[in-house]
Amino acid sequence: MDRINRLLLENKAWAQSKVDIDPQYFSKMAKDQTPQFLWIGCADSRVPPSEITNTDPGEMFVHRNIANLVVHTDTNMLSVLQYAVEALKVPHIIVCGHYNCGGVKAALMQQSLGLIDNWVRNIKDTYFSHKFEVENFKTEAERVNRLVELNVMEQVKNLSHSAIVQKAWAERQVPFIHGWVYDLNTGILKRLVTVDPNSNVDSAYHYKF
Ligand SMILES: [Zn+2]
């Protein structure tokens, strides 16, 4: 119970610290949100998006799942994406993976883990597509970390293949999509890829509106 009480006490102290600086902090915050970023990240507890980017409440709309996947049948992720793009009109989407990701590690294993196999299967498909490249690395850590990068790039591609993103590109020339990876050992984010609204999408995935 002490651990739970700690959270509530810390929350009180945090709220007070905000009010001490600006008495209107919460009344202003409660009115509306105009975040500039949608963050799609891993659920891993060591990669808290606001903290590692030093952003305040209201700045970032967040969706997290195991291994930061963009799966085109995931209505949870798609609802977040649609709301962020169409209602909040975020100009930037960031897909952020992290090295040594447990979800990606699981995709490189043959051991069945139960239900989660079906989620991890999405990463296995990326592994299979790049098997030669991934298996060229000597150590398991290197193989995991390369697949982490390839997985991020795949999810960026998945976003660009969605009708939600393509419709916004056609109408408003946003959002930009950024693929990043976070290094747990240094705390540093690395850019992998940026996709701008004029990018070519393969005709198989290209929608007309
Ligand atoms: Zn992870």
Side-chain angles (χ1 to χ4, degrees), residues 57-75:
E59 287 194 84
M60 201 179 267
F61 204 62
V62 174
H63 179 80
R64 294 171 75 178
N65 60 39
I66 288 174
N68 40 272
L69 298 185
V70 174
V71 178
H72 69 90
T73 52
D74 176 0
T75 50

Side-chain angles (χ1 to χ4, degrees), residues 25-195:
Y25 183 84
F26 289 106
S27 53
K28 283 190 277 187
M29 187 71 68
K31 278 186 192 140
D32 204 2
Q33 62 167 335
T34 53
Q36 299 295 296
F37 314 99
L38 165 61
W39 176 279
I40 299 175
C42 185
D44 193 296
S45 63
R46 299 164 295 178
V47 195
S50 303
E51 192 151 346
I52 64 175
T53 57
N54 203 19
T55 42
D56 287 323
E59 287 194 84
M60 201 179 267
F61 204 62
V62 174
H63 179 80
R64 294 171 75 178
N65 60 39
I66 288 174
N68 40 272
L69 298 185
V70 174
V71 178
H72 69 90
T73 52
D74 176 0
T75 50
N76 182 352
M77 182 281 302
L78 289 169
S79 302
V80 170
L81 177 67
Q82 184 178 18
Y83 190 74
V85 170
E86 295 181 6
L88 299 172
K89 297 186 165 47
V90 295
H92 298 281
I93 302 175
I94 299 153
V95 177
C96 186
H98 65 98
Y99 293 128
N100 200 25
C101 179
V104 173
K105 265 188 196 169
L108 285 166
M109 297 186 332
Q110 290 180 302
Q111 176 65 46
S112 170
L113 302 170
L115 171 75
I116 202 170
D117 292 343
N118 303 285
W119 185 252
V120 167
R121 167 66 189 276
N122 294 290
I123 315 168
K124 274 192 183 288
D125 290 343
T126 303
Y127 169 40
F128 181 72
S129 305
H130 299 88
K131 209 168 179 208
F132 182 75
E133 182 190 343
V134 171
E135 294 197 344
N136 246 343
F137 288 93
K138 287 198 175 63
T139 67
E140 197 218 347
E142 287 173 315
R143 289 192 288 275
V144 169
N145 289 346
R146 183 55 186 154
L147 187 53
V148 162
E149 295 179 346
L150 292 166
N151 180 52
V152 167
M153 291 187 277
E154 192 68 21
Q155 308 321 309
V156 167
K157 210 189 290 174
N158 289 345
L159 282 172
S160 75
H161 291 168
S162 75
I164 295 166
V165 165
Q166 287 184 31
K167 191 159 182 275
W169 281 356
E171 290 172 355
R172 294 181 286 112
Q173 295 290 293
V174 284
F176 289 78
I177 307 172
H178 311 267
W180 293 355
V181 63
Y182 177 73
D183 190 332
L184 294 166
N185 288 301
T186 62
I188 299 297
L189 287 162
K190 182 168 98 180
R191 279 173 198 257
L192 294 176
V193 65
T194 305
V195 174

